[in-house]
């Protein structure tokens, strides 16, 4: 389900094993459409299309968590869905994610769900804060910073109270992500932590392995394994963390391969995408060893708009790569500001 760049790279991995992939996506021009074996062009709620999809395929997975649960339930009635619906349900909603973490004793930033009745009572210590849509946010979209309660009241006037979370804005020493894999038998493995830098809420750069104390790494892996076990998770699972005042806080989780793991294509024995394919097709987990220190930089649509008011222009890739960086483009037909168009990989040194 879904035909974005994560789908594209999953299909590339599937084809290495001769596995055919049908993509379900409502756009013919999505990145994955160029190489998929079949495309079902429909909305995620289109029952006729879902029925055809369910007949045609043997096993289902997602490349976006924003698929209606009812559609996933329909697919998984007859055939395997990786990961399971409960994991996706939690990962769709920041409030559920943080409550779930809390229930397992995994720390998060202080947060509160915004409702019509509690808005006047939100405690002072939570400010300055970030208000986020509970669902559908990505790349920092659907987020506003508020410095005090009066500003919150002002900004929230037009919001639908049911679906917002308010998080304390915490100082960030470092942002980290953990990509973990778990198969149907419960075997687990993980990649080294990635150290992520964001610009305007969008991942700009990610370096693997992160430069952190081994104790932080161990703690992150223990949180990840706890979550995966609790959810009986099968597939690739990503956890985003904040390191704030020495404490490791869970920010959010993604029930799929992640932007901060694209380095694994070029620098690991097995990529995060190949892992998803292996798990879906009952092959054993691949080796998560990272052979190189590696850096990923995202290429945003901004790069097409360098001239003032000029129409978008294809970047000079020789200049962008300096002849040494590995270039990956996702084949999106329209560059837009803030849109992820591709990425660059720099192999830094051997480990
Ligand atoms: P998205 O789903 O858009 O990735 P995130 O919750 O990960 O949403 O927020 C995007 C970025 O905004 C984070 O990677 C971090 O840099 C910053 N951010 C988010 N929440 C907080 C917070 N509570 N305190 C400080 N910075 C935050
Ligand atoms: Mg995030």
């Amino acid at each position: 389900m879904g035909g974005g760049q994560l789908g594209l790279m999953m299909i590339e991995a599937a084809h290495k094993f001769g596995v055919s992939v049908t993509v379900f996506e409502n756009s013919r021009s999505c990145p994955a459409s160029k190489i998929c074996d079949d495309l079902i062009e429909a909305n995620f709620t289109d029952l006729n299309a879902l029925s055809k999809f369910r007949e045609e395929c043997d096993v289902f997975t997602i490349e976006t968590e924003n698929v209606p649960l009812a559609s996933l339930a329909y697919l998984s009635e007859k055939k395997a869905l990786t990961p399971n619906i409960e994991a996706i349900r939690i990962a769709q909603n920041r409030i559920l994610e943080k409550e779930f973490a809390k229930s397992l004793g995994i720390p998060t930033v202080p947060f509160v769900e915004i409702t019509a009745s509690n808005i006047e009572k939100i405690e002072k210590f939570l400010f300055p804060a970030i208000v986020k849509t509970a669902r559908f946010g990505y790349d920092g979209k659907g987020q506003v910073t508020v410095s005090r309660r009066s500003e919150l009241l002002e900004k929230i006037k037009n919001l639908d109270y049911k679906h917002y979370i308010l998080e304390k804005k915490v100082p960030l020493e470092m942002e980290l992500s953990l990509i973990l894999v778990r198969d149907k038998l419960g075997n687990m493995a993980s990649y080294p932590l990635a150290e992520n830098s964001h610009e305007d809420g969008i991942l700009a750069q990610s370096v693997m392995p992160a430069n952190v104390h081994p104790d932080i790494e161990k703690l992150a892996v223990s949180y990840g394994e706890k979550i995966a076990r609790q959810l009986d998770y099968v597939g690739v699972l990503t956890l985003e963390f904040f390191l704030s005042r020495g404490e490791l806080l869970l920010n959010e989780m993604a029930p799929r391969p992640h932007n901060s793991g694209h380095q694994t294509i070029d620098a690991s024995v097995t990529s995060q995408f190949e892992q998803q394919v292996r798990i879906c097709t009952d092959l054993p987990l691949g080796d998560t060893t990272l052979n190189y220190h590696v850096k990923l930089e995202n290429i945003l649509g901004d790069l097409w708009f360098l001239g003032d008011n000029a129409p978008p222009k294809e970047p000079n890739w020789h200049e962008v790569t300096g002849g040494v960086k590995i270039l990956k483009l996702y084949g999106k037909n329209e560059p837009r500001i803030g849109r992820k168009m591709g990425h660059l990989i720099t192999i830094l040194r051997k480990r």
Side-chain angles (χ1 to χ4, degrees):
M1 296 294 270
Q5 63 265 24
L6 300 177
L8 168 77
M9 290 181 270
M10 254 189 245
I11 299 169
E12 288 168 347
H15 285 172
K16 280 206 333 190
F17 294 116
V19 171
S20 303
V21 183
T22 298
V23 167
F24 195 109
E25 168 68 65
N26 69 2
S27 154
R28 194 145 275 283
S29 62
C30 64
S33 72
K34 300 204 171 56
I35 63 161
C36 64
D37 299 271
D38 194 8
L39 176 75
I40 295 183
E41 190 184 354
N43 289 322
F44 285 155
T45 50
D46 181 332
L47 207 56
N48 282 330
L50 286 168
S51 166
K52 177 170 183 270
F53 191 45
R54 189 168 76 175
E55 282 312 306
E56 186 169 317
C57 300
D58 301 316
V59 51
F60 297 93
T61 191
I62 55 166
E63 63 100 56
T64 164
E65 52 276 33
N66 293 320
V67 181
L69 298 176
S71 304
L72 297 173
Y74 176 80
L75 295 177
S76 64
E77 254 171 33
K78 289 201 175 158
K79 289 169 180 170
L81 169 71
T82 300
N84 66 52
I85 293 183
E86 178 59 7
I88 299 168
R89 185 182 76 86
I90 292 175
Q92 281 181 346
N93 186 311
R94 299 183 194 281
I95 299 165
L96 297 183
E97 258 168 16
K98 291 197 166 70
E99 281 171 354
F100 176 66
K102 239 165 98 176
S103 76
L104 297 178
I106 298 171
T108 68
V109 295
F111 70 97
V112 61
E113 181 179 355
I114 300 179
T115 63
S117 58
N118 78 350
I119 194 157
E120 297 282 353
K121 294 179 224 140
I122 291 173
E123 295 182 61
K124 244 190 164 150
F125 87 96
L126 284 164
F127 294 94
I130 302 178
V131 176
K132 303 179 182 177
T133 55
R135 294 195 55 183
F136 302 117
Y138 70 99
D139 289 348
K141 291 185 176 64
Q143 302 192 11
V144 288
T145 304
V146 287
S147 46
R148 64 192 84 81
R149 199 179 322 176
S150 55
E151 196 185 339
L152 173 67
L153 291 171
E154 185 54 37
K155 287 206 168 139
I156 210 124
K157 264 193 298 210
N158 305 319
L159 305 183
D160 171 358
Y161 288 135
K162 269 200 196 111
H163 301 112
Y164 284 81
I165 183 173
L166 179 140
E167 297 179 10
K168 185 174 175 61
K169 187 169 183 180
V170 298
L172 303 178
E173 263 159 66
M174 202 185 270
E175 292 195 62
L176 298 160
S177 54
L178 176 74
I179 299 171
L180 178 146
V181 294
R182 187 171 184 272
D183 69 12
K184 284 175 197 149
L185 303 172
N187 298 310
M188 283 192 265
S190 55
Y191 292 93
L193 282 177
E195 185 175 335
N196 303 327
S197 321
H198 293 80
E199 280 165 26
D200 302 325
I202 307 175
L203 184 73
Q205 181 182 306
S206 175
V207 172
M208 203 184 259
N211 184 18
V212 286
H213 194 278
D215 289 350
I216 296 290
E217 181 108 29
K218 266 188 217 141
L219 195 59
V221 172
S222 78
Y223 290 161
E225 292 188 345
K226 204 170 186 180
I227 288 173
R229 256 190 229 107
Q230 183 68 28
L231 291 170
D232 194 15
Y233 194 92
V234 176
V236 177
L237 172 67
T238 307
L239 303 181
E240 290 181 16
F241 292 101
F242 296 151
L243 192 61
S244 180
R245 299 194 175 96
E247 200 186 5
L248 190 66
L249 307 172
L250 180 72
N251 172 34
E252 60 172 342
M253 56 194 227
R256 50 167 171 79
H258 191 259
N259 193 170
S260 65
H262 297 350
Q263 300 97 306
T264 61
I265 296 176
D266 305 292
S268 303
V269 176
T270 313
S271 78
Q272 60 170 353
F273 300 104
E274 181 177 328
Q275 300 282 15
Q276 187 77 349
V277 174
R278 283 172 169 268
I279 294 166
C280 286
T281 58
D282 287 331
L283 289 168
L285 292 180
D287 184 347
T288 52
T289 300
L290 184 73
N291 290 323
Y292 305 97
H293 290 253
V294 60
K295 178 173 82 176
L296 160 130
E297 296 162 278
N298 273 334
I299 297 171
L300 301 184
D302 306 44
L303 216 55
W304 275 250
F305 295 93
L306 291 182
D308 280 344
N309 292 325
K313 184 167 168 273
E314 180 91 10
N316 177 331
W317 294 118
H318 191 74
E319 266 171 34
V320 171
T321 60
V324 293
K325 295 181 183 181
I326 300 166
L327 174 67
K328 173 81 185 171
L329 291 169
Y330 306 144
K332 294 186 183 177
N333 56 354
E334 190 199 349
R336 290 198 292 266
I337 300 292
R339 188 181 202 196
K340 290 171 181 166
M341 302 297 289
H343 66 252
L344 292 165
I345 297 289
T346 310
I347 300 288
L348 299 171
R349 62 179 187 279
K350 203 145 176 59
R351 290 188 81 198

